[in-house]
Amino acid sequence: MSDAFVRQGELTDIQSYPAWAQDMVESCTEVRTRVAAHPLFHKMRDGELDASQLSTFLVGVWPVIEQFPQYMAQSLLKVQYGRSRGHDEARRYLIRNIRVEQNHADHWLQWALASGVSRDDLLHGEVPPETHALSHWCWHTCERDSLAAGMAATNYAIEGVTGDWSALVCASDVYENGFATDVRAKAMKWLKLHAKYDDTHPWEALEIICAVMGSNPTQRGVALIRSRVVTSYEYMRLTLDHCLEAEQVVSRPMPLVELVYEERKRA
């Protein structure tokens, strides 16, 4: 009997997926909730984040936003057309969504500008190591792990929980109304796009992961997928913890080093 997975039910119904995937998702619920319901997002929703906390968040998470298309490109390198249905679906998904992620970077920039973070601070600011770790992890898993594991860590875990916390922030109009009317739409676009109740990207990623893994993968294979999902959630939580504890704006441009070697050489 073939263990190939072909979804029969609704895309967004977890019962449509293999038992191993259902168990994996259920076992990750607690750690996912710690991210989705993090106190930082409650404070953001209620307009209670101070400038230091918000600046640290916007600058600290920016590397992940800016590099997300590159994580997907790393996954795309592992796809072999015609190898399996899962690989073919991954190819279509990754190519299509890389362009979407570029637009998301533009929207994040507008959010930062409306929040008092300059373009120079966002693009060239010193990113705290505590928040930079998340982007390093995403790059590592997409470069070194299997196609399914890398997509589980990024396209499923990170995109999925981002939809959760974005919906929490947008559940009230307090934060939105804190922006001036002339910039409000641009400032909120990133959040509102990710808070859409019908966002299917993480579900599509889960379907691809299941298609690649099959209905009866090895225990070791399932353990790898779960560990990548949990690790992504944990790095996100560490990032949020640091941002909430921020006491001063960290988004200062890195100092330029004066090049004096040639002058010394001539002397």
Side-chain angles (χ1 to χ4, degrees), residues 163-240:
D164 295 345
W165 67 255
S166 296
L168 171 63
V169 174
C170 293
S172 166
D173 60 3
V174 172
Y175 184 66
E176 179 177 3
N177 290 338
F179 292 103
T181 55
D182 59 329
V183 301
R184 187 173 298 163
K186 288 185 176 180
M188 291 295 297
K189 191 164 187 178
W190 190 95
L191 280 168
K192 290 194 171 184
L193 283 174
H194 287 79
K196 289 169 56 179
Y197 73 93
D198 59 349
D199 183 16
T200 60
H201 287 178
W203 288 100
E204 291 170 356
L206 180 61
E207 181 177 18
I208 291 169
I209 292 163
C210 291
V212 172
M213 297 287 292
S215 297
N216 297 291
T218 64
Q219 289 185 346
R220 187 180 297 276
V222 175
L224 176 65
I225 298 299
R226 184 186 183 279
S227 73
R228 277 20 183 189
V229 170
V230 169
T231 301
S232 289
Y233 292 152
E234 291 289 9
Y235 272 119
M236 292 183 76
R237 183 183 59 79
L238 291 173
T239 293
L240 299 171

Side-chain angles (χ1 to χ4, degrees), residues 2-251:
S2 172
D3 67 349
F5 167 71
V6 179
R7 178 175 55 83
Q8 300 297 324
E10 295 294 326
L11 175 69
T12 56
D13 182 358
I14 190 60
Q15 298 299 318
S16 302
Y17 298 87
W20 71 263
Q22 296 180 40
D23 292 343
M24 184 274 293
V25 170
E26 175 62 27
S27 70
C28 297
T29 298
E30 182 178 350
V31 65
R32 175 170 176 158
T33 300
R34 286 202 292 267
V35 176
H38 195 278
L40 181 141
F41 298 127
H42 284 275
K43 285 181 172 290
M44 185 181 292
R45 179 198 61 191
D46 299 334
E48 297 176 352
L49 282 183
D50 62 33
S52 299
Q53 293 167 326
L54 183 57
S55 173
T56 303
F57 173 77
L58 290 168
V59 174
V61 178
W62 167 249
V64 176
I65 304 301
E66 188 270 331
Q67 294 172 14
F68 215 87
Q70 294 166 289
Y71 307 150
M72 296 167 71
Q74 295 283 354
S75 294
L76 185 59
L77 289 173
K78 301 169 188 172
V79 172
Q80 182 179 345
Y81 182 81
R83 177 177 179 180
S84 69
R85 187 177 62 84
H87 273 243
D88 291 348
E89 290 180 356
R91 185 175 188 271
R92 286 190 292 269
Y93 173 93
L94 293 166
I95 291 174
R96 182 179 74 243
N97 289 318
I98 284 174
R99 184 174 181 85
V100 172
E101 292 300 331
Q102 171 56 42
N103 294 333
H104 289 174
D106 295 335
H107 302 327
W108 188 277
L109 172 61
Q110 293 302 318
W111 183 10
L113 294 175
S115 302
V117 178
S118 72
R119 178 187 177 91
D120 195 52
D121 282 353
L122 187 69
L123 271 59
H124 307 295
E126 291 189 67
V127 179
E130 294 87 347
T131 65
H132 220 162
L134 177 60
S135 65
H136 289 317
W137 158 249
C138 291
W139 191 284
H140 170 81
T141 186
C142 288
E143 180 183 41
R144 302 300 298 274
D145 283 328
S146 67
L147 172 64
M151 290 188 67
T154 53
N155 300 108
Y156 170 72
I158 290 182
E159 285 202 70
V161 77
T162 295
D164 295 345
W165 67 255
S166 296
L168 171 63
V169 174
C170 293
S172 166
D173 60 3
V174 172
Y175 184 66
E176 179 177 3
N177 290 338
F179 292 103
T181 55
D182 59 329
V183 301
R184 187 173 298 163
K186 288 185 176 180
M188 291 295 297
K189 191 164 187 178
W190 190 95
L191 280 168
K192 290 194 171 184
L193 283 174
H194 287 79
K196 289 169 56 179
Y197 73 93
D198 59 349
D199 183 16
T200 60
H201 287 178
W203 288 100
E204 291 170 356
L206 180 61
E207 181 177 18
I208 291 169
I209 292 163
C210 291
V212 172
M213 297 287 292
S215 297
N216 297 291
T218 64
Q219 289 185 346
R220 187 180 297 276
V222 175
L224 176 65
I225 298 299
R226 184 186 183 279
S227 73
R228 277 20 183 189
V229 170
V230 169
T231 301
S232 289
Y233 292 152
E234 291 289 9
Y235 272 119
M236 292 183 76
R237 183 183 59 79
L238 291 173
T239 293
L240 299 171
D241 287 349
H242 178 77
C243 294
L244 197 59
E245 296 167 0
E247 297 181 353
Q248 61 181 358
V249 177
V250 298
S251 56

